[in-house]
Amino acid sequence: MLNKLKPKTEYSKHILTLMSGTILAQAIPIAISPILTRLYSPSDFGTFSLYFALAVLFGSLAAGRYELSILIPKQHESARQIVLFSIVISFVMSVLLFVFVCIAINWLVQLLNNPDIRIWLYVLPVNIFMISVINILYYWFNRHKEYKVLAKTKILQSSNRSTFSLLFGFFHKPYGLVTSVFIGSLSNFMYSIIKAKNDNVFHTPNMQKMKILMKKYRDFPKFNVLTTLVENLSGNIPIYLLTIFFDPMVVGFFSLSQQVVRAPLSIIGVSFGDVFRQRASCDLQHTGDCRHIFLITFKKLAILATLPFILFYFIAPILFLFVFGEKWEMAGTYAQIMTPMFFLQFISSPLSNMFLIAQKQKLDLLIQIFSFIIMLTGMTVGYYISKDVSTILYIFTFIYSIKYLIQLTLSYRFTKVSNA
C-alpha cells in the first residue's frame, strides 16, 4: 500500500508538499486539544464555533466566488486581474457588512440566541475580509504551483492560533478561542499579502480588462455564491439549530467532534483537492479528458480512508473520554454517529472540484438547494418529534451521505468533455 503512495510523479510530490504543511498545521491544534478542553468549557467552544462558522461563511462569499475562476484563464495576466477585482469586491462587501452590524446589532444577538457573541460581531467584518483575501491569494499561489507557500500559510495560521488559544486559556480569558481565530487569520493575511506583493500581483490594475473578465466569469457569482451559501448553511445546520434548540454546551460538544474528525480530512483531503483541481483543469483544457487523474486520486483517497475511519467508528466515545476528559465523552458519541458521513466527505469533496472545472455551477446549485431544503426540514421535524440531539445528527449524517454519493457519481461523469 505504501508503494502506491510514494511520490513517483510531480503530481504526487505536489500532494505531499501540501500534505506536509497541512499535517504540521493540524498536528499543532490536535496536540493541544486535550489541554484546551480542560482550559475552556463546552459553552466557550459553542461561542467559538458559532463565530467561526459565520466568519468562514461570509469570508467565502465576500469576493462573489470570483476567486474560483483564477485557475481557469490560460494567461497569467488575466488571472492577476481577477485577483485584484476580487479583493476590491471583498473590501466593499466587508465595509457594508460592518455598517449592517452596527445598525442591527441587537436584532442579530437575539437571532443568534447567544449574548456572548455581541462584541465579536463588530470584529467579524474585519475577519471576513482577511479570510476572503487569504482565499483569493490561495488560488493564485495554487495556479502557480507555489505549494510550499501554501503549506507555510497553513502552518503560520495554525501555530499562531494555537499559541494564543493556550495563552488566553491559561490566563482564564473566556474569549480566548475566538481571539485566537482572529490572530491566526491576521498572520496568514499578512504573510500572503507579502508573498503576493513579491509576485507583483498588485501592480497596474487594468479596469477595462477587469470589466471584461467580470462579465466573462459572471456565472461564478451568479451561481456559486448561492451554492456556497446553501452548502455552508447545510454543513453548519447543526450549529445553527443546536444553538436555537439546546444549550450552548451541546454546540460545544458538536464543535469538538467536528474539529477532531475533520482533522484527517484537512490533512489529506484538502491537499488532494488543491492539486487535483490544478491538474484536472490542465488535462481537461488540453486533452478534454481528466478521467485518468480522477481515478488515481479516487483510489489513493479510498486506500488512505477505509481502515482509519472503520477503526475510529468503534473507538470514538472511549477515545474522546480518554483524550479530552470526562465531560467530553458525549462529543465522541456525536463523532461516532457522523463517521460514515465524514468518510464519504473525505473521498467526495476533493473530486467534487469537477463541478467547477467542468463549469457545472447550475447543477451544483440545484443539488445544494435540494439537499438544504431536505436537511432543514428533516432535522427540524426530527427535533420536534424526538427532542433528541442524536436523532438530529442521524438525520444530518444520512442526508449528507446521500448527497456525497450523488456528487461523486456526477463528478466522474464530468471528467470527459463529451460528458461535461
Side-chain angles (χ1 to χ4, degrees):
M1 184 181 77
L2 293 176
N3 289 333
K4 295 181 180 180
L5 302 176
K6 287 182 179 180
K8 297 180 179 179
T9 65
E10 183 185 18
Y11 180 71
S12 295
K13 290 179 181 178
H14 290 330
I15 291 176
L16 291 176
T17 298
L18 273 181
M19 278 177 56
S20 61
T22 308
I23 287 172
L24 183 56
Q26 291 293 336
I28 298 171
I30 290 173
I32 68 170
S33 290
I35 303 175
L36 295 180
T37 54
R38 290 165 173 82
L39 294 175
Y40 297 97
S41 69
S43 295
D44 292 332
F45 273 85
T47 300
F48 151 76
S49 63
L50 179 59
Y51 174 86
F52 188 71
L54 292 172
V56 171
L57 169 61
F58 291 104
S60 64
L61 298 175
R65 302 306 280 163
Y66 270 115
E67 71 272 18
L68 297 176
S69 65
I70 291 173
L71 288 170
I72 295 177
K74 292 184 178 180
Q75 296 182 343
H76 290 316
E77 177 59 23
S78 296
R80 191 178 68 83
Q81 296 298 327
I82 295 174
V83 170
L84 294 177
F85 73 67
S86 296
I87 292 176
V88 172
I89 294 172
S90 298
F91 179 77
V92 173
M93 295 303 296
S94 299
V95 171
L96 292 176
L97 182 59
F98 178 76
V99 173
F100 174 74
V101 168
C102 292
I103 295 173
I105 184 65
N106 292 327
W107 176 78
L108 289 171
V109 171
Q110 185 177 5
L111 175 67
L112 297 173
N113 194 31
N114 190 330
D116 293 336
I117 202 72
R118 173 183 288 270
I119 189 173
W120 296 108
L121 290 177
Y122 292 108
V123 179
L124 187 62
V126 180
N127 210 153
I128 288 169
F129 175 69
M130 292 191 296
I131 291 174
S132 180
V133 173
I134 290 168
N135 290 340
I136 293 166
L137 295 179
Y138 193 92
Y139 281 94
W140 170 263
F141 296 137
N142 191 8
R143 176 187 176 89
H144 291 271
K145 300 182 182 180
E146 296 186 51
Y147 297 111
K148 290 184 179 180
V149 173
L150 297 182
K152 288 179 181 178
T153 61
K154 295 174 183 289
I155 296 170
L156 182 65
Q157 179 164 327
S158 175
S159 59
N160 278 294
R161 175 177 160 184
S162 299
T163 299
F164 282 95
S165 292
L166 286 173
L167 288 176
F168 289 125
F170 283 123
F171 285 102
H172 305 291
K173 301 297 183 181
Y175 304 131
L177 292 173
V178 179
T179 306
S180 65
V181 171
F182 184 88
I183 294 174
S185 297
L186 178 62
S187 61
N188 191 341
F189 173 80
M190 296 300 297
Y191 179 78
S192 298
I193 288 290
I194 292 171
K195 296 301 294 184
K197 186 177 179 180
N198 293 338
D199 289 347
N200 294 318
V201 173
F202 303 119
H203 76 91
T204 58
N206 187 325
M207 297 302 297
Q208 185 62 33
K209 192 172 186 63
M210 285 184 184
K211 292 179 181 179
I212 295 173
L213 291 168
M214 289 180 70
K215 183 177 180 181
K216 180 177 181 179
Y217 296 110
R218 63 183 180 273
D219 278 356
F220 284 89
K222 187 176 179 180
F223 298 108
N224 284 99
V225 166
L226 185 56
T227 299
T228 302
L229 175 63
V230 174
E231 183 175 22
N232 192 287
L233 289 175
S234 297
N236 287 303
I237 271 184
I239 290 179
Y240 302 130
L241 291 184
L242 294 177
T243 298
I244 296 172
F245 295 148
F246 300 101
D247 188 272
M249 183 179 297
V250 172
V251 183
F253 290 144
F254 177 80
S255 173
L256 185 68
S257 67
Q258 291 273 295
Q259 177 182 332
V260 171
V261 180
R262 282 182 172 171
L265 304 188
S266 298
I267 291 174
I268 303 174
V270 173
S271 300
F272 267 88
D274 289 338
V275 181
F276 170 76
R277 183 169 51 240
Q278 193 277 336
R279 172 67 180 273
S281 296
C282 290
D283 287 355
L284 206 62
Q285 284 179 10
H286 293 97
T287 67
D289 186 343
C290 62
R291 183 159 293 179
H292 178 66
I293 199 63
F294 180 96
L295 293 175
I296 288 176
T297 307
F298 173 82
K299 290 176 183 178
K300 289 185 177 183
L301 289 169
I303 290 171
L304 289 167
T306 302
L307 184 58
F309 275 97
I310 291 175
L311 179 63
F312 181 82
Y313 177 81
F314 289 103
I315 68 171
I318 298 175
L319 182 65
F320 273 70
L321 175 64
F322 176 76
V323 175
F324 302 109
E326 203 171 298
K327 62 183 178 181
W328 293 97
E329 184 178 6
M330 185 57 68
T333 301
Y334 292 177
Q336 184 181 50
I337 292 172
M338 295 184 288
T339 299
M341 177 195 70
F342 287 127
F343 171 76
L344 291 172
Q345 179 187 9
F346 178 81
I347 295 177
S348 172
S349 292
L351 299 172
S352 293
N353 282 291
M354 284 306 310
F355 280 86
L356 296 175
I357 297 169
Q359 300 190 44
K360 291 292 184 178
Q361 293 95 333
K362 293 181 182 179
L363 179 58
D364 193 25
L365 176 57
L366 291 175
I367 293 174
Q368 301 301 343
I369 292 175
F370 187 65
S371 62
F372 173 73
I373 293 172
I374 295 177
M375 189 85 64
L376 180 61
T377 303
M379 294 178 69
T380 303
V381 171
Y383 167 75
Y384 283 109
I385 291 177
S386 68
K387 305 290 184 180
D388 179 59
V389 178
S390 296
T391 299
I392 292 179
L393 294 182
Y394 276 118
I395 294 172
F396 172 69
T397 299
F398 176 77
I399 296 174
Y400 242 85
S401 296
I402 297 299
K403 175 193 169 187
Y404 287 133
L405 288 173
I406 293 173
Q407 286 181 321
L408 188 60
T409 302
L410 292 174
S411 295
Y412 177 76
R413 289 178 56 84
F414 298 154
T415 54
K416 289 190 177 182
V417 170
S418 59
N419 292 328

